[in-house]
């Protein structure tokens, strides 16, 4: 069901699920192509979505061993290599491929740093029918105020600062009433991606709940008869 391919304009892409009308582009966190990220893609694909997760860092992901590093300048310099314009071009490569393979409605989900990329992407074009943000980082009310589709937000207990003003901004858009919010009060930031541990029952259960919420939301928004 899943492959890692570099056949699309030299962009490595983890692909899961069969081609179909509904597709999702996953934007991972700073730790890149971790097993947890692939697990999420596989779980979404098992629910009927064609899923693509591009390796936007091309093998140069941030090391989990450096997560607690006190030298913020090293991280800032690394992250600065992946500005929105560069990353968005790769997302367009994925989107175009999905359209060519038969996708009629496409959503996107961003985790942590990926949440910021997804919000910016959905603020600059109308080509996504739905979007999700899970344990977000670097998002802002200014981004939320200009989104072009409904969102599902799944923050954790650590993400209150990132979520400040987001719902209020979303509620002023035409998508406020159709957006969804659920806080995972007992989970830490990153539990679905690189900092998660599926061997911990509580975390595994939370990931399952998140997948269920995402699946329900995207089935509703990407269905052929959805408005």
């Amino acid at each position: 069901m899943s492959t890692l391919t570099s056949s699309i304009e030299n962009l490595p892409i983890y692909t899961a699920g069969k081609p179909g009308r509904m597709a999702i582009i996953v934007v991972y966190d700073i730790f890149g192509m971790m097993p947890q990220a692939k697990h999420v893609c596989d779980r979404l694909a098992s629910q009927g979505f064609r899923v693509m997760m591009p390796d936007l860092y091309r093998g140069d992901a941030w090391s989990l061993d450096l997560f607690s590093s006190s030298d913020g300048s090293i991280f800032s310099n690394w992250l600065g290599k992946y500005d929105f314009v560069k990353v968005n071009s790769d997302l367009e490569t994925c989107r175009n491929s999905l359209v060519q393979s038969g996708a009629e409605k496409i959503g996107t989900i961003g985790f942590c740093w990926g949440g910021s990329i997804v919000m910016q992407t959905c603020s600059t074009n109308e080509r996504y029918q739905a979007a999700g943000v899970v344990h977000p980082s670097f998002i802002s009310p200014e981004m939320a105020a200009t989104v072009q589709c409904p969102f599902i937000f799944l923050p954790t207990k650590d993400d209150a600062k990132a979520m400040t003003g987001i719902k209020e901004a979303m509620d002023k858009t035409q998508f406020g009433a159709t957006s969804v919010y659920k806080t995972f009060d007992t989970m830490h930031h990153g539990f679905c991606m690189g900092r998660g541990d599926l061997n911990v029952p509580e975390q595994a259960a939370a990931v399952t709940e998140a997948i269920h919420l995402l699946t329900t939301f995207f089935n509703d928004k990407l269905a052929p008869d959805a408005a």
Side-chain angles (χ1 to χ4, degrees), residues 185-199:
D185 294 313
T186 63
M187 288 294 108
H188 61 274
H189 178 84
F191 77 93
C192 281
M193 289 278 123
R195 294 183 64 223
D197 186 348
L198 293 170
N199 293 314

Side-chain angles (χ1 to χ4, degrees), residues 6 51 129 211 224:
S6 58
V51 181
Q129 281 69 51
I211 295 295

Side-chain angles (χ1 to χ4, degrees), residues 33 37 51 108 117 181:
M33 291 283 193
V51 181
T108 180
I117 298 300
Y181 303 83

Side-chain angles (χ1 to χ4, degrees), residues 3-173:
T3 59
L4 180 63
T5 175
S6 58
S7 62
I8 304 178
E9 299 183 14
N10 296 316
L11 173 65
I13 301 173
Y14 187 79
T15 305
K18 298 179 180 180
R21 293 182 175 183
M22 300 188 299
I24 296 173
I25 298 172
V26 170
V27 184
Y28 53 33
D29 66 2
I30 60 174
F31 305 114
M33 291 283 193
M34 297 285 281
Q36 299 93 320
K38 295 176 182 179
H39 175 83
V40 167
C41 292
D42 291 344
R43 294 280 294 274
L44 289 169
S46 73
Q47 300 303 306
F49 302 102
R50 175 71 159 177
V51 181
M52 281 189 169
M53 180 173 65
D55 188 5
L56 303 171
Y57 305 142
R58 290 169 171 78
D60 183 38
W62 188 249
S63 171
L64 192 60
D65 294 335
L66 296 176
F67 179 71
S68 300
S69 173
S70 60
D71 190 343
S73 63
I74 297 177
F75 175 74
S76 296
N77 290 336
W78 170 81
L79 191 62
K81 296 187 294 183
Y82 304 102
D83 61 80
F84 172 68
V85 174
K86 178 180 180 180
V87 169
N88 194 48
S89 176
D90 287 340
L91 297 183
E92 281 296 291
T93 295
C94 290
R95 189 189 171 282
N96 291 337
S97 176
L98 289 168
V99 170
Q100 291 170 10
S101 65
E104 297 177 359
K105 293 190 176 182
I106 301 174
T108 180
I109 308 171
F111 295 79
C112 310
W113 166 84
S116 172
I117 298 300
V118 162
M119 290 203 77
Q120 292 179 77
T121 296
C122 293
S123 295
T124 57
N125 67 64
E126 300 177 350
R127 288 176 287 184
Y128 293 95
Q129 281 69 51
V133 173
V134 184
H135 38 68
S137 297
F138 310 116
I139 65 174
S140 70
E142 290 73 22
M143 294 178 189
T146 55
V147 296
Q148 303 297 310
C149 66
F151 267 70
I152 179 171
F153 293 89
L154 303 179
T156 71
K157 62 183 178 63
D158 301 325
D159 302 319
K161 183 177 180 179
M163 289 297 296
T164 300
I166 298 297
K167 187 176 187 303
E168 291 78 3
M170 288 292 300
D171 285 345
K172 294 178 181 178
T173 74

